[in-house]
Each structure stands twice: as structure tokens, then as C-alpha cells.
Amino acid sequence: MIQITIVPYSIEKKLVVAVASSALFDLTESDQIFRERGEDAYREFQRKNKDVQLPRGIAFPFIRRFLNINNAYPDKLPVEVILLSKNDPETGLRVFSSIAHYGLDITRAAFLTGKSPHEYIPAFNVSVFLSANENDVFDAVAAGHPAGTVLPSSASDADDDNALRVAFDFDGVIADDEAEVVYKTGNLDTFQKHELRRVHVPHRPGPLADLFRKLSFFQKLERKRELGTPNYKRILRTAIVTARNAPAHERVVTTLRDWGVAADETFFLGGIEKA
């Protein structure tokens, strides 16, 4: 008798993004059937349309480009996307059929049949959970997990553009909200004096620090590849966009230097509209 041992593939060192199925794909039609005709009709609709591909959702462009990082490192496959869905497994069949249709390398998922997915974020080593459902995002953030609401965009996603560009706020996002609390409970002058006193003290990590750090690691790999391969075209570009200005900018630099990370572009806007 031959005994086969299946060893699960570890994702502990990967950069993992979790996404809700309703953000990855457009489930508007399905949701309308659920609201108007109830759960049984909804499941029957999904069963009959199992092989009908779902339209791309608002998070699709980001997820497609994020997974493209693996194409540059096929021996390591350093990133992974996990599907965390409030849908039932019946809908899951159609979702995975659509994933295969679009050629997305997504193999892990949890279908929770109405249950909020946020409690499974730590189990999958998720650096950020993306959803179009604000309530699910609020639940995740309230529980101390990194999460963000994906908003509709008028920007078009060109299939031949594989670059991933990610912009971060600093206070309360990459870093903790220590300085932001000082500003909100005082004023700009109080904030500036606080940051000057602590200019050499790095901030503690914020909710998206892990995501930023891991993206920064990939950027270091890309810079090395750029030096050794003249025609190499970088995939990833990051930016920090903060309302801070001089002299409060210095603590941002102190923090990034202490963490050993960097962004391609950093904007100290001094209150100018970030958009």
C-alpha cells in the first residue's frame, strides 16, 4: 500500500489580498433577484447560470494587476488572492467558473452563506481585505483587521497594461493614528509642535503597514532586476500622499528609514486636496 501525504502550501510569507466576490465581479443582477424573489430563486438562478460568465467588478483591475506580480517571479509566486465571500457555495461554482474564464490565478476561497468574512482574515494571513460592502469593511476594521472599501471608478482598465500603481495615505493608514489624534484634539500648531518634538521617533505600524512593507520588498527586487536587465519594465509603483507639510514631513522620513522601506513618490501636500 502506498501512503500519500499532502502537505498544504504555506502562505505565511506571501503577500495575501482577500477580496469579496461582489467586488471582484458584478453581481448586480443576482442581487436584484435575491432582493425581489428571495433566497431560493437566487440559488436557482445561480445554478442555471453556472457557466455564464459574470461581468468584471470594481476590484477586478486591481486584482488582475496584483496577480501579475507572480508572472515576474514564477519560481516564487510571492502574491496570492483569497476570495472571502458572503455568498453560498452554489454561487461559488459560478464565481470560480468566471475566475477561470478571465485567467485569474485564484484557487483559495471561503463561501460563508451570509456570514461576515472578517473573522477569517488572520487565518489566511491577509494584508488587506477589499469589499464593496461598507458594513463588512467597518466590521473588519472594528475588529482590528486591515480592510478597505472599493469604490466605483470611471477609469478604464486596458488589458495590455499590467502595471500596478498603489497610493497610500500615511497617518492612520501606513502609520498609526498617534499624530492624527493630536491634530483632531488640538489644531495644526499643536500637531506641528508634537511632530517636531518626536521627529526622531518612528511611528508604530498602522493597519496597512504590512501591505506597504511587502510591496516595498517587491520594489527592491524590481530595482535589482532593472540594473541587471536593461529592457526590464517595472510592474509596481507606489506613492505616499499625505496632508503633512514641512516640518512635519521629517517624521515620515524617519519612520520609513527605520522600517527599511521607501515609496517611489511622496507628496507632502500641506492640506491641498489629495485627489
Side-chain angles (χ1 to χ4, degrees):
M1 185 178 73
I2 300 175
Q3 184 176 354
I4 300 175
T5 303
I6 299 175
V7 180
Y9 188 78
S10 172
I11 59 173
E12 291 177 1
K13 294 184 179 180
K14 285 193 172 191
L15 169 51
V16 183
V17 168
V19 63
S21 55
S22 57
L24 182 60
F25 297 116
D26 184 352
L27 293 171
T28 304
E29 183 183 13
S30 307
D31 186 59
Q32 186 175 355
I33 290 172
F34 178 82
R35 293 177 185 278
E36 293 178 357
R37 295 164 52 191
E39 187 174 341
D40 290 341
Y42 170 82
R43 290 189 177 185
E44 180 62 23
F45 175 79
Q46 300 295 9
R47 190 179 298 114
K48 287 182 176 178
N49 290 276
K50 180 175 75 71
D51 296 319
V52 178
Q53 310 311 323
L54 291 162
R56 302 181 184 196
I58 53 179
F60 189 98
F62 175 83
I63 294 300
R64 180 184 70 80
R65 292 163 186 253
F66 176 74
L67 285 170
N68 187 55
I69 293 174
N70 281 338
N71 294 331
Y73 304 95
D75 55 330
K76 295 183 177 67
L77 301 177
V79 305
E80 181 157 354
V81 172
I82 305 287
L83 199 68
L84 290 185
S85 176
K86 293 175 74 174
N87 279 296
D88 63 289
E90 199 79 52
T91 307
L93 294 176
R94 189 180 182 192
V95 170
F96 266 116
S97 174
S98 299
I99 285 172
H101 170 76
Y102 291 111
L104 299 177
D105 185 18
I106 300 174
T107 61
R108 289 186 170 104
F111 295 98
L112 304 170
T113 316
K115 187 178 179 181
S116 180
H118 73 269
E119 64 186 78
Y120 298 99
I121 289 174
F124 284 108
N125 188 37
V126 170
S127 291
V128 66
F129 167 56
L130 302 176
S131 176
N133 186 315
E134 285 189 348
N135 291 331
D136 287 344
V137 172
F138 289 151
D139 287 344
V141 172
H145 304 313
T149 304
V150 188
L151 301 175
S153 171
S154 59
S156 59
D157 180 33
D159 287 338
D160 60 347
D161 183 0
N162 292 317
L164 177 65
R165 295 173 283 273
V166 189
F168 293 87
D169 199 347
F170 184 77
D171 292 289
V173 178
I174 294 177
D176 63 5
D177 63 352
E178 172 208 328
E180 200 166 74
V181 170
V182 170
Y183 175 75
K184 288 181 178 179
T185 56
N187 53 39
L188 180 59
D189 185 55
T190 307
F191 166 80
Q192 296 281 26
K193 288 178 179 177
H194 175 270
E195 290 302 280
L196 278 175
R197 285 196 303 269
R198 300 178 63 80
V199 68
H200 299 300
V201 181
H203 274 282
R204 292 184 296 272
L208 294 189
D210 184 64
L211 174 64
F212 181 78
R213 281 169 162 169
K214 288 178 177 176
L215 288 176
S216 181
F217 171 75
F218 294 134
Q219 287 182 294
K220 290 178 182 177
L221 293 179
E222 287 211 285
R223 290 187 191 106
K224 287 182 180 178
R225 181 169 291 189
E226 226 174 3
L227 292 173
T229 311
N231 296 325
Y232 180 72
K233 189 175 181 180
R234 286 175 58 182
I235 298 170
L236 180 63
R237 192 165 187 85
T238 60
I240 295 174
V241 186
T242 172
R244 289 174 179 244
N245 59 357
H249 74 294
E250 217 175 323
R251 197 174 176 199
V252 174
V253 178
T254 296
T255 301
L256 299 181
R257 186 189 300 124
D258 180 74
W259 293 0
V261 298
D264 292 301
E265 303 168 12
T266 306
F267 299 88
F268 299 102
L269 298 180
I272 295 175
E273 172 58 45
K274 293 176 184 177

